[in-house]
Amino acid sequence: MPRTLKVAQFIITVEVAFGLVGFALVLAGFFATFKWGILVPLLHAGGRVALLGWLLSRWSTRRVWLRWAIIGVELLEFGVSVLDLVQFSTVTWGALLGRHTLGWAVIVLLLLPQAGRWFNASRA
């Protein structure tokens, strides 16, 4: 595996780890207050962590769709964040780029030619 993909794999692992911490905090917040408005962020946090964790567990399969699925999840997360920022009128460059530095790094690393060659390799 190329070094760039090892870095991307590590970044995704960090995202999943911090996502689990965030999920635990949102879950604790829900059980502390029982406010039903917290369920949407709870589903978002849990769904993203579960999906990225499942995709990360499939990493060794080297399937082409896996690369594009991870890129899609990262872009979807960015899109959801932009919608949230627009809804509350807090769109700034810092908010757009700062929160998603790891996601952008994963996208760039998975779009490199080395990633394309590694994910396209046959498993003979």
Side-chain angles (χ1 to χ4, degrees):
M1 178 182 342
R3 189 176 312 241
T4 56
L5 287 178
K6 288 181 183 179
V7 171
Q9 187 179 26
F10 175 75
I11 291 172
I12 295 169
T13 304
V14 168
E15 284 182 327
V16 169
F18 282 122
L20 286 172
V21 171
F23 179 73
L25 290 173
V26 174
L27 190 64
F30 174 72
F31 284 121
T33 61
F34 285 105
K35 291 186 179 177
W36 296 103
I38 297 177
L39 284 180
V40 173
L42 183 66
L43 290 173
H44 175 255
R48 181 175 187 273
V49 168
L51 185 58
L52 272 179
W54 180 75
L55 290 171
L56 189 60
S57 74
R58 307 282 300 161
W59 190 273
S60 62
T61 64
R62 297 172 65 170
R63 303 274 173 101
V64 176
W65 65 267
L66 180 67
R67 173 185 178 208
W68 295 109
I70 293 171
I71 290 171
V73 168
E74 295 292 352
L75 287 174
L76 182 65
E77 176 65 24
F78 179 71
V80 168
S81 176
V82 168
L83 288 176
D84 181 51
L85 291 171
V86 167
Q87 179 182 1
F88 295 107
S89 300
T90 56
V91 179
T92 63
W93 284 108
L96 287 177
L97 300 176
R99 277 174 50 181
H100 301 285
T101 305
L102 294 178
W104 287 116
V106 168
I107 290 170
V108 168
L109 290 172
L110 290 179
L111 288 175
L112 291 175
Q114 301 96 318
R117 286 191 296 270
W118 191 78
F119 278 105
N120 282 332
S122 69
R123 304 253 331 177

